[in-house]
Amino acid sequence: MFETIQGEGSFTGQPSIFIRLQGCPVGCSWCDTKHTWEIDPEREVSAPVMLSKNAETDEWAEFSIADLLQTIAENGWQAKHIVLTGGEPCMVDLEPLCRVFEESGFSIQVETSGTFEVLVSPKCWVTVSPKVNMRGGYKVLGSAMQRANEIKHPVATEQHVDDLKALLVEHQVTDTPVYLQPISQKERATQLAIDTCIANNWRLSIQVHKYIGIE
């Protein structure tokens, strides 16, 4: 849990508090948060210990909604935008958390692979980053694609672009903003994303936080 600048998608540049949930069975080969995949009971730590971490770890802690709000207050964080990420946050019902945070004056964004039902409040901004043919064998759900406020798709090859186009047709997604995000910021992937965005009137997401060297 940390305060930073959102570096991707529609909220790029927005001061945000990221809450990273542990656990994800999807198995993306290029995932940059593989330490969040497993919920190992032996790796559970206390909330204070978890909050003291400033490097990637597979340790995790249990927080209540009240604990999360208290943590924000105690740290003096000023951002009013909450990003629920992971891991795969939609493995759990997020609607109660969303509603409490919204009632406390925050906006909520969820970043999901689209492979689990999206259980959030009506006001929650849903970023679906659809994961196709990953190791975990999960299918991208039509309900997730339809609920998306934006679609953010990692690309490195033409096949990734073709996979996205097939999903958009299959689930009849026409008006949702589409962002392409080059995998690993490689030059070839970046050029492919640029060319594809221009050809399809899509948008480019370049992971600004990585370019400027922040979390």
Side-chain angles (χ1 to χ4, degrees):
M1 185 176 180
F2 54 94
E3 185 179 48
T4 186
I5 297 292
Q6 171 64 287
E8 304 176 1
S10 298
F11 287 95
T12 295
Q14 176 79 43
S16 304
I17 297 167
F18 277 70
I19 301 175
R20 189 177 297 284
L21 278 66
Q22 190 77 2
C24 182
V26 178
C28 304
S29 59
W30 64 81
C31 178
D32 58 3
T33 57
K34 291 183 179 180
H35 58 283
T36 67
W37 285 9
E38 300 297 330
I39 306 177
D40 183 349
E42 296 185 359
R43 301 297 289 163
E44 183 178 5
V45 298
S46 67
V49 169
M50 192 71 248
L51 291 170
S52 71
K53 301 293 183 180
N54 56 13
E56 292 182 356
T57 176
D58 63 353
E59 294 176 334
W60 59 277
E62 185 172 310
F63 287 74
S64 68
I65 298 174
D67 291 336
L68 297 175
L69 288 170
Q70 183 177 346
T71 298
I72 293 171
E74 289 178 347
N75 281 277
W77 292 335
Q78 297 300 304
K80 291 298 183 181
H81 185 66
I82 304 292
V83 182
L84 303 176
T85 185
E88 172 47 73
C90 288
M91 289 172 64
V92 298
D93 183 353
L94 297 169
E95 184 172 5
L97 187 153
C98 289
R99 290 190 181 278
V100 171
F101 270 91
E102 287 167 353
E103 290 168 0
S104 301
F106 294 91
S107 58
I108 302 287
Q109 177 183 5
V110 171
E111 298 182 336
T112 176
S113 63
T115 57
F116 288 81
E117 291 293 339
V118 182
L119 303 176
V120 296
S121 64
K123 293 181 180 179
C124 178
W125 182 274
V126 177
T127 300
V128 174
S129 183
K131 301 303 189 292
V132 181
N133 296 327
M134 295 297 133
R135 186 179 68 183
Y138 288 80
K139 299 292 186 182
V140 176
L141 303 180
S143 60
M145 293 290 288
Q146 289 291 332
R147 177 60 181 83
N149 296 102
E150 65 177 356
I151 293 169
K152 179 164 58 69
H153 192 61
V155 294
T157 67
E158 291 284 357
Q159 184 60 55
H160 294 142
V161 176
D162 292 342
D163 289 342
L164 175 59
K165 288 181 175 179
L167 277 177
L168 297 176
V169 171
E170 178 183 358
H171 301 300
Q172 300 179 347
V173 177
T174 56
D175 298 325
T176 306
V178 174
Y179 287 83
L180 294 189
Q181 190 160 284
I183 294 176
S184 301
Q185 301 168 282
K186 293 181 179 179
E187 183 177 352
R188 181 178 178 182
T190 301
Q191 191 60 55
L192 171 64
I194 291 171
D195 293 342
T196 305
C197 284
I198 292 173
N200 294 276
N201 198 29
W202 293 344
R203 306 177 187 184
L204 183 69
S205 177
I206 59 170
Q207 296 184 291
V208 169
H209 56 291
K210 292 186 177 181
Y211 280 96
I212 62 179
I214 63 173
E215 189 172 11

Short mmCIF file of all heavy atoms in Angstrom, two decimals, residues 37 54 82 172 174 205:
data_model
loop_
_atom_site.label_atom_id
_atom_site.label_comp_id
_atom_site.label_asym_id
_atom_site.label_seq_id
_atom_site.Cartn_x
_atom_site.Cartn_y
_atom_site.Cartn_z
N TRP A 37 1.56 -13.55 -6.58
CA TRP A 37 0.77 -14.66 -7.09
C TRP A 37 0.25 -15.59 -6.00
O TRP A 37 -0.90 -16.00 -6.03
CB TRP A 37 1.60 -15.48 -8.09
CG TRP A 37 1.76 -14.82 -9.42
CD1 TRP A 37 1.42 -13.54 -9.76
CD2 TRP A 37 2.34 -15.39 -10.60
NE1 TRP A 37 1.74 -13.28 -11.07
CE2 TRP A 37 2.31 -14.40 -11.61
CE3 TRP A 37 2.89 -16.63 -10.89
CZ2 TRP A 37 2.79 -14.62 -12.89
CZ3 TRP A 37 3.38 -16.85 -12.17
CH2 TRP A 37 3.32 -15.86 -13.16
N ASN A 54 9.61 -1.74 1.73
CA ASN A 54 9.85 -0.81 0.63
C ASN A 54 10.48 -1.50 -0.57
O ASN A 54 11.09 -0.86 -1.42
CB ASN A 54 10.72 0.36 1.10
CG ASN A 54 12.04 -0.10 1.71
OD1 ASN A 54 12.42 -1.26 1.57
ND2 ASN A 54 12.73 0.81 2.38
N ILE A 82 -8.11 5.97 -5.30
CA ILE A 82 -7.64 4.66 -4.83
C ILE A 82 -7.57 3.71 -6.01
O ILE A 82 -8.53 3.59 -6.79
CB ILE A 82 -8.58 4.07 -3.77
CG1 ILE A 82 -8.76 5.04 -2.60
CG2 ILE A 82 -8.08 2.71 -3.31
CD1 ILE A 82 -7.54 5.25 -1.76
N GLN A 172 -18.67 -7.62 -28.29
CA GLN A 172 -19.39 -6.46 -28.81
C GLN A 172 -19.02 -5.17 -28.06
O GLN A 172 -19.89 -4.40 -27.65
CB GLN A 172 -20.90 -6.71 -28.77
CG GLN A 172 -21.33 -7.91 -29.58
CD GLN A 172 -22.83 -8.17 -29.53
OE1 GLN A 172 -23.55 -7.63 -28.70
NE2 GLN A 172 -23.31 -9.02 -30.42
N THR A 174 -17.54 -1.63 -28.35
CA THR A 174 -17.34 -0.68 -29.44
C THR A 174 -16.92 0.71 -28.98
O THR A 174 -16.10 1.36 -29.64
CB THR A 174 -18.64 -0.54 -30.27
OG1 THR A 174 -19.71 -0.17 -29.40
CG2 THR A 174 -18.97 -1.87 -30.96
N SER A 205 -0.49 3.80 -23.88
CA SER A 205 -0.16 3.86 -22.46
C SER A 205 1.28 3.39 -22.29
O SER A 205 1.60 2.24 -22.59
CB SER A 205 -1.11 2.96 -21.65
OG SER A 205 -0.76 2.96 -20.29
#
